[in-house]
Amino acid sequence: MPIEVIMPKVDMDMASGKVMTWHVAEGEAVTKGEPLFDIETDKAAMEVEASESGILHHLTPEGTEVLIGAPVAWLYADGEEVGEPPSRPSVSSSADGDPSRVSDVTEKPSEDTAAPERVEPLSSEEKTRATPLARAMARANGLEIDAISGTGPQGRIQAEDVRCFLDQSATISAPVAFKSETGALSITRSKGGTGTPVVLIHGFASDATSWAPLETHLRHRPLIRIDLPGHGKSPKLKLNGFAELAKIVRRTFDELSLDEAHLVGHSLGGALCLALADTRPRSIKSVTLISPAGLGPDVNGEVLGGIGRATRAESLGPWLRQMVKDDTLITDAYVRLAMAPRTDANMRAAQQALADSLFPDGVQAFDLRAALGRLEMPARLIWGKADKIIPWRHALGAPGNIALHLFEGVGHIPHFEAPEEVGKILKASL
Amino acid sequence: MNMQAKPTLRELSYAEAIREAMDIALSQDERVILMGEDIGVYGGAFQVTGDLVEKYGTDRVMDTPISELGGAGIAVGAALTGLRPIFEFQFSDFAALAMEQIVNQAAKVRYMLGGAVSVPLVMRFPAGSGTGAAAQHSQSLEAWLGHVPGLKVVQPSTPEDAKGLLLAALEDPDPVMIFEHKILYKMKGPVPEGYYTTPIGKAAIRRTGKDVSIIATSIMAQKAMTAAETLAGEGIDAEVIDLRTVRPMDRETVLASVRKTGRLLCVYEGVKTLGVGAEISAMVAESDAFDFLDAPIIRLGGAESPIPYNPELEKAVVPQVPDILDAARGLLKGRI
Amino acid sequence: MPDTFKDGNVPYAVRAYSPEVLLAALKKMMLIRKFEEGAEDSYTRGLIHGTMHLSIGQEASAVGSCMSLTDEDKITSTHRGHGHCVAKGADLGKMFAEFFGKETGYCKGRGGSMHIADPAKGNLGANGIVGGGLPIAVGAALSAKRLGTGAVTVCFFGDGANNEGAFHEALNMAAVWKLPVVFVCENNKYGMSTSTERSTAVKNIADRSASYSMPGVTVDGNDFSAVAEAVDAAVERARSGEGPSLVENVTYRWRGHSKSDRNRYRTKEEIAEWMERDPIATMAAMLIDHKIIDQDGVAALEAETTQIIKDAITFASGSPDPDVSEATRDVYTQEAAA
């Protein structure tokens, strides 16, 4: 009997993984413990070793997305007859809810509209999602609908978006060219955790996986990570400035339909958390801003630009090392991992365009100091005093009701450089 | 005709308004007769005919045997040959027993005969849920008959329209099916005195608004009005249109409203699938009003289920005010 | 054959009707036969689309049942209704035109074979639904009673319809309200392929009249005089306010149920036996016997009716087709609607 090689579950909220590279070819022998294939999840890439020895057959083609637990190949004993691939037991993904649930059975709008968080971003073959009115307005104004970013459910372009575009295109110079997409921002959730969920928003040129060092400390709460437009698995939206970005984040947050939430944001994500807390004060229970943007004009545009432009690990590494105080933390392996998603030139272009509109000429084009003053829920600032990207002294403008946690010898990413300390602060308060 | 009498402050119940319309018709036109089961001394299953038999006698207020098919067919034959019958079903559900005569005969005779005859027939169907009468006595079957060319189908939601539409139906040379909601029979409202008609094929804008068009039928028009008041307090300005006639549908009024608001919410008690809301939605989607939609269309209709007995279940399978509120909020807040 | 005839007594029809009326009746029977033969021929030539239900062999029932009716009196008919239509005085050209789907047809090409009607002559129409006309006939009778017109309605239906629920409901209400209606069952022994023996619990359909406290009689439906005698009595009873009756004309259709019938349920011998009892030949023999017409007269009548049919077909085939843009006309009386 051949032995199945399965897609392993290597991450707590992993539902599927992609077969990237086979290290052993069809029909070749492999010994238990040898590297067999590489997989990629929404978090990281990793190597899978052979769990048994045998002759490898029926390989799943590279690039194929496979549900965890499903076979990706089969190992045969030496001399064992190789026929058709053994029938694969069906693997069902864990159900989100009980379909037989009956609480209120009036025919409501269909499920796909009632549960927007389950909807995947549009695949590239599909047309841009826009309402008929938005299309008609775009036509009337000679606009390509694709040029407009949608802030509606699933990234739908609505009339308001066209109006917004028309207003802003009058004042803002053309952004860096990139092929824009539409769709909803990517949301990833932890399994488990109880009580008020924690919504995490990453910084510029980062993505949802950047929270990994902090997550062991927050495991008691449901974690909801948002990928910003042009980052991680989110679509590359055409954006015009911070207000529009904040609106998309707010829409994404609204679609989560949370009664209450804690917000944790880093850098640009911190600024977005602040904007969100300012507009959704009733549902936000606390705000934690880690090296946030928006509290002063200064920002290291050179580093942001360098990260945005880097096309290879070699050119990315030096800029990444600027982010931290202890640059030995940024190993070559780390840089390669960080570069992996950045090989997409279109994503880099999207991020550059975003940087251009948010930090033109190395200046923060948005100012949230007033919003900080309006916060009424518990709020704290966490900053490294060795931050070379945004000066920690911006924290000193915060009003007295906001807690300050300043770390010596820590750069722009405290939760990466000092995860234990930052984790303890959060665990104690969330 | 379509003349609207001067409004007065006099209030009648929906059932009283229908009875008054029949009383006027019986007194004005010798050709008018009432037919139905237990509409004589009993006064009708829902006491709509009441004491009309005392005034007009059993020759004109005719109790039929429990024979829906035969009774309906006799009404068709009588309408073909000079009478103006008003045929009452005890429950709209019993239309199923008479579908042959309604659908194959009444609706088609004129066309089959190349326009040589008309069938000026009025049928009244007490419809809808909310009485605990369960699956065989609670249906809203207007879409069944609305599907048949040759019939006209109306659903009054107010006492004034109940009277006006019945008198309009009697003036109409073609068969008119009136679906009356049982829960509305006791509802009171202003009803003009004397003779007037409410136009068939014309919707009523019950409330003007700019944010969302709620197109509702029968009792749902009342629920939509209740919801609209709550929505107004939240800054959502809903337009409520009482469709009143399912066939022929008032295309102009619906499309004009959607062009204005860009959002369409259909609310009806009949089963959602293949129902009145599907027709409204398709009508909008096929028209130039499509270009004015700024959100997907929503239909709130009855569940894919017979009407259950238990009162909580019974409520759960038809749209209620909170459902309308949720749907309207969702449309406005871009959640849908 | 009724005993009166065998015994050499003068049959009812000869006693009751003038020679002119009897010759007109014979002519109508011939027209029915030739109309249907012409329709069949046209069908064979591909001039008619759709099917048809021929009543060849049943002509005495149709004509005999309408003898005492005026244009004020109504009939409701069946899918096998050409005979009733001719008996009630329809124009053959307009009937053929309807058959050919022409704008000049009785229904302007919208109804076809199964819906030919002639409201001006009191024919409320054939009906594609078995039993569909039963309650409608009762409704027409209700109108007559309410409006005091004195009109009687003759309701034709087949043996098949006697097992429909509408039969029960209609006869019951007609009896309860004592309405001026005569139910004429043309029992041609088969509802499509199913014989009355296999479908109907009573031996004679007229026996069912007992359930509705109305008179019921079964007669030889191929004997013109017997049919006329029974139906005339029932019409007289209805007209005088005594209520409905049920008359069962036992007859036979020579052709199949419709053009798709392969005749697998009856024998050639049975068909041949019934064709021996041709109602038209029997009628002609009776009239010759009583010196109302002679052989030459019959031949002349044959030639005259053949020419009428020929002219009718010429009129119909030369008539204009309906305008396709008017396909939905006449759905409603008020065209603004829907």
Side-chain angles (χ1 to χ4, degrees):
Chain A
M1 279 287 286
I3 301 156
E4 62 179 14
V5 179
I6 62 163
M7 173 61 69
K9 178 168 176 156
V10 296
D11 191 85
M12 66 174 177
D13 56 358
M14 168 187 177
S16 64
K18 190 184 280 186
V19 177
M20 294 305 290
T21 310
W22 286 101
H23 298 306
V24 179
E26 174 86 28
E28 284 187 357
V30 62
T31 307
K32 181 176 176 177
E34 281 180 2
L36 185 55
F37 62 112
D38 289 348
I39 62 169
E40 186 187 86
T41 72
D42 53 2
K43 289 281 185 59
M46 71 170 287
E47 194 175 75
V48 180
E49 296 168 354
S51 56
E52 299 291 338
S53 300
I55 315 291
L56 193 66
H57 287 288
H58 313 309
L59 276 64
T60 297
E62 292 177 354
T64 308
E65 190 85 19
V66 180
L67 289 177
I68 56 168
V72 294
W74 298 82
L75 290 169
Y76 285 73
D78 201 10
E80 188 177 357
E81 192 186 337
V82 179
E84 289 295 302
S87 65
R88 299 179 166 194
S90 64
V91 180
S92 61
S93 57
S94 59
D96 288 349
D98 176 6
S100 65
R101 178 187 68 93
V102 177
S103 58
D104 182 357
V105 290
T106 302
E107 285 296 299
K108 298 289 165 36
S110 54
E111 279 297 303
D112 56 346
T113 55
E117 67 274 15
R118 280 193 224 150
V119 176
E120 295 298 313
L122 287 176
S123 74
S124 57
E125 294 96 60
E126 289 178 285
K127 289 182 68 178
T128 301
R129 198 185 292 273
T131 66
L133 181 57
R135 287 182 191 281
M137 289 172 66
R139 266 198 310 277
N141 287 284
L143 300 174
E144 290 293 330
I145 197 79
D146 295 344
I148 303 164
S149 62
T151 61
Q154 302 163 62
R156 186 189 301 132
I157 302 168
Q158 297 172 321
E160 189 189 354
D161 299 317
V162 182
R163 279 185 215 108
C164 183
F165 183 90
L166 288 168
D167 288 349
Q168 295 194 355
S169 59
T171 56
I172 290 188
S173 59
V176 178
F178 67 98
K179 185 175 178 299
S180 69
E181 300 169 340
T182 60
L185 298 187
S186 166
I187 303 293
T188 51
R189 296 163 185 269
S190 64
K191 294 250 157 57
T194 55
T196 303
V198 181
V199 175
L200 301 149
I201 306 179
H202 64 78
F204 178 76
S206 180
D207 63 30
T209 62
S210 65
W211 296 109
L214 209 50
E215 285 180 3
T216 51
H217 302 283
L218 297 175
R219 204 162 263 170
H220 61 298
R221 298 277 177 242
L223 304 182
I224 301 171
R225 314 170 201 94
I226 297 174
D227 271 338
L228 292 178
H231 293 70
K233 297 179 91 83
S234 281
K236 298 160 191 71
L237 306 179
K238 193 149 273 183
L239 292 166
N240 291 304
F242 183 80
E244 200 177 349
L245 177 62
K247 192 165 75 176
I248 289 167
V249 169
R250 187 160 62 243
R251 185 88 71 182
T252 305
F253 178 80
D254 288 345
E255 285 176 16
L256 294 170
S257 298
L258 303 176
D259 291 333
E260 52 184 48
H262 297 293
L263 296 182
V264 177
H266 172 232
S267 191
L268 175 60
L272 290 163
C273 285
L274 187 47
L276 190 53
D278 195 32
T279 48
R280 295 285 181 271
R282 280 183 296 279
S283 49
I284 306 300
K285 293 299 140 196
S286 79
V287 188
T288 301
L289 308 174
I290 305 173
S291 334
L295 302 184
D298 326 309
V299 64
N300 191 333
E302 208 181 322
V303 174
L304 296 182
I307 291 172
R309 284 190 303 274
T311 59
R312 280 175 293 169
E314 286 80 354
S315 53
L316 181 66
W319 296 116
L320 284 184
R321 291 189 176 96
Q322 294 283 309
M323 306 283 276
V324 295
K325 166 71 175 165
D326 176 7
D327 64 11
T328 61
L329 288 169
I330 308 296
T331 61
D332 288 350
Y334 180 90
V335 175
R336 277 200 301 280
L337 203 60
M339 193 62 219
R342 308 192 60 77
T343 53
D344 177 353
N346 199 42
M347 174 191 268
R348 292 198 307 272
Q351 291 185 3
Q352 274 184 273
L354 185 62
D356 281 352
S357 84
L358 298 177
F359 313 113
D361 306 316
V363 172
Q364 298 193 38
F366 50 94
D367 188 345
L368 298 168
R369 280 175 284 197
L372 191 67
R374 285 192 292 267
L375 291 185
E376 289 190 1
M377 70 288 286
R380 63 197 66 80
L381 282 162
I382 298 174
W383 227 308
K385 289 174 93 171
D387 193 334
K388 292 174 209 159
I389 309 300
I390 302 175
W392 70 270
R393 287 182 179 279
H394 286 182
L396 299 178
N401 61 323
I402 293 180
L404 291 187
H405 303 272
L406 301 173
F407 291 97
E408 294 289 343
V410 169
H412 186 58
I413 322 177
H415 51 296
F416 175 70
E417 301 172 72
E420 287 300 317
E421 286 83 345
V422 174
K424 273 182 211 156
I425 293 166
L426 288 178
K427 190 170 188 180
S429 47
L430 301 187
Chain B
M1 199 67 59
N2 301 342
M3 52 195 182
Q4 208 73 30
K6 284 179 196 151
T8 76
L9 290 175
R10 183 188 67 141
E11 293 216 329
L12 293 182
S13 75
Y14 185 89
E16 287 164 347
I18 296 166
R19 187 183 316 139
E20 184 169 278
M22 293 191 290
D23 194 355
I24 291 170
L26 284 162
S27 68
Q28 289 188 351
D29 187 346
E30 275 293 314
R31 301 172 303 168
V32 173
I33 58 167
L34 311 187
M35 297 176 68
E37 293 160 10
D38 306 298
I39 64 167
V41 290
Y42 192 94
F46 293 93
Q47 295 301 310
V48 178
T49 47
D51 57 3
L52 288 173
V53 69
E54 288 172 25
K55 195 165 167 186
Y56 298 99
T58 54
D59 282 351
R60 297 189 69 202
V61 181
M62 301 175 65
D63 278 327
T64 68
I66 309 297
S67 301
E68 285 82 5
L69 170 62
I74 290 170
V76 173
L80 265 172
T81 51
L83 293 182
R84 292 272 177 167
I86 302 174
F87 189 87
E88 176 182 303
F89 285 85
Q90 285 198 340
F91 290 85
S92 67
D93 313 69
F94 304 166
L97 289 155
M99 283 303 257
E100 199 286 294
Q101 284 294 331
I102 300 171
V103 173
N104 288 326
Q105 310 294 341
K108 295 181 174 58
V109 171
R110 176 177 173 77
Y111 185 82
M112 292 190 302
L113 271 52
V117 295
S118 291
V119 185
L121 167 67
V122 177
M123 288 183 156
R124 296 180 35 245
F125 302 88
S129 65
T131 62
Q136 294 173 334
H137 295 74
S138 301
Q139 296 170 88
S140 298
L141 300 176
E142 56 280 354
W144 280 17
L145 300 187
H147 190 65
V148 182
L151 300 180
K152 297 180 181 180
V153 182
V154 302
Q155 291 185 277
S157 76
T158 66
E160 178 179 351
D161 283 355
K163 178 180 169 185
L165 283 168
L166 180 51
L167 290 173
L170 276 166
E171 279 187 9
D172 199 291
D174 295 316
V176 181
M177 310 287 115
I178 305 179
F179 282 78
E180 301 163 357
H181 202 290
K182 298 188 282 270
I183 295 300
L184 295 177
Y185 277 134
K186 291 192 171 144
M187 186 190 73
K188 293 212 165 209
V191 177
E193 307 262 5
Y195 190 93
Y196 67 94
T197 59
T198 301
I200 293 170
K202 186 80 192 127
I205 302 172
R206 300 292 184 202
R207 184 184 192 285
T208 56
K210 59 175 174 41
D211 291 335
V212 55
S213 300
I214 305 179
I215 317 291
T217 60
S218 189
I219 196 169
M220 293 301 155
Q222 302 287 350
K223 292 186 179 179
M225 285 301 284
T226 306
E229 293 315 312
T230 303
L231 291 169
E234 300 172 14
I236 296 175
D237 188 13
E239 179 145 305
V240 178
I241 291 178
D242 177 357
L243 197 60
R244 297 202 293 202
T245 302
V246 169
R247 172 184 272 274
M249 210 172 265
D250 185 352
R251 183 182 160 83
E252 284 67 35
T253 301
V254 171
L255 297 188
S257 180
V258 173
R259 281 188 210 103
K260 179 171 68 170
T261 66
R263 296 178 186 87
L264 172 60
L265 169 58
C266 308
V267 193
Y268 52 109
E269 183 169 333
V271 171
K272 175 178 167 180
T273 302
L274 296 165
V276 170
E279 185 55 37
I280 299 168
S281 305
M283 184 175 79
V284 168
E286 287 176 340
S287 76
D288 83 298
F290 172 81
D291 275 342
F292 296 82
L293 285 174
D294 201 26
I297 295 167
I298 293 184
R299 289 176 293 154
L300 291 177
E304 303 299 317
S305 149
I307 301 291
Y309 169 66
N310 172 288
E312 290 309 312
L313 297 183
E314 188 180 21
K315 277 189 208 127
V317 298
V318 299
Q320 304 296 343
V321 171
D323 301 322
I324 301 171
L325 291 172
D326 285 349
R329 288 171 186 145
L331 273 176
L332 264 295
K333 292 187 179 168
R335 285 204 210 112
I336 290 161
Chain C
M1 299 284 160
D3 293 342
T4 48
F5 193 39
K6 271 193 213 158
D7 295 348
N9 295 335
V10 181
Y12 165 82
V14 176
R15 280 184 277 124
Y17 293 106
S18 69
E20 291 72 29
V21 171
L22 290 171
L23 288 175
L26 177 61
K27 184 176 163 187
K28 275 185 180 172
M29 288 167 71
M30 286 180 176
L31 284 172
I32 293 169
R33 175 76 52 92
K34 290 176 197 295
F35 174 86
E36 295 202 320
E37 286 170 347
E40 199 173 29
D41 181 62
S42 301
Y43 177 89
T44 310
R45 292 170 191 276
L47 297 173
I48 290 172
H49 103 121
T51 189
M52 66 185 77
H53 305 89
L54 300 176
S55 65
I56 293 175
Q58 303 183 182
E59 296 86 351
S61 171
V63 178
S65 297
C66 295
M67 288 305 288
S68 55
L69 301 185
T70 69
D71 287 355
E72 294 307 308
D73 295 318
K74 313 293 185 200
I75 65 165
T76 62
S77 176
T78 71
H79 57 286
R80 204 174 303 288
H82 307 142
H84 312 140
C85 201
V86 175
K88 201 74 173 62
D91 177 271
L92 278 296
K94 288 172 82 171
M95 284 180 72
F96 264 115
E98 187 57 35
F99 239 105
F100 288 10
K102 301 293 190 178
E103 186 69 31
T104 53
Y106 266 113
C107 310
K108 298 177 180 151
R110 272 71 167 178
S113 161
M114 242 188 299
H115 303 299
I116 295 179
D118 184 8
K121 297 272 187 189
N123 179 358
L124 297 177
N127 210 305
I129 304 295
V130 172
L134 282 155
I136 293 174
V138 179
L142 176 65
S143 285
K145 185 174 183 185
R146 257 259 24 90
L147 300 172
T149 64
V152 171
T153 303
V154 167
C155 171
F156 288 103
F157 63 102
D159 47 284
N162 108 95
N163 293 318
E164 289 277 7
F167 170 86
H168 168 66
E169 297 189 19
L171 269 71
N172 182 59
M173 277 184 274
V176 166
W177 295 329
K178 275 194 149 186
L179 297 177
V181 55
V182 179
F183 298 99
V184 175
C185 178
E186 296 188 311
N187 178 358
N188 62 19
K189 308 187 82 66
Y190 295 90
M192 285 187 73
S193 67
T194 307
S195 66
T196 49
E197 287 79 10
R198 290 167 61 213
S199 67
T200 304
V202 291
K203 185 166 182 296
N204 296 310
I205 290 165
D207 295 350
R208 294 210 151 144
S209 64
S211 306
Y212 311 106
S213 291
M214 68 173 75
V217 57
T218 302
V219 300
D220 178 354
N222 284 13
D223 179 345
F224 170 84
S225 181
V227 170
E229 185 169 12
V231 178
D232 284 357
V235 168
E236 179 51 34
R237 184 172 183 274
R239 220 184 282 286
S240 62
E242 290 172 64
S245 309
L246 172 58
V247 178
E248 177 185 12
N249 298 336
V250 179
T251 184
Y252 200 80
R253 59 168 155 78
W254 295 6
R255 299 294 194 266
H257 163 73
S258 68
K259 295 310 292 180
S260 61
D261 189 340
R262 288 172 296 171
N263 250 326
R264 286 182 171 175
Y265 50 89
R266 40 185 209 181
T267 62
K268 284 192 176 117
E269 292 72 27
E270 181 183 298
I271 297 169
E273 188 186 318
W274 276 94
M275 288 175 74
E276 285 295 308
R277 300 169 54 191
D278 178 352
I280 297 176
T282 307
M283 170 79 160
M286 178 182 78
L287 298 187
I288 290 168
D289 227 30
H290 290 88
K291 312 265 187 275
I292 293 168
I293 195 170
D294 57 16
Q295 284 293 359
D296 290 346
V298 171
L301 209 50
E302 289 276 2
E304 184 193 343
T305 50
T306 300
Q307 188 58 44
I308 290 172
I309 295 300
K310 212 172 147 188
D311 292 347
I313 290 176
T314 305
F315 164 78
S317 53
S319 287
D321 285 319
D323 188 336
V324 174
S325 70
E326 294 182 333
T328 60
R329 191 190 61 195
D330 296 328
V331 176
Y332 294 97
T333 306
Q334 291 174 329
E335 290 306 325

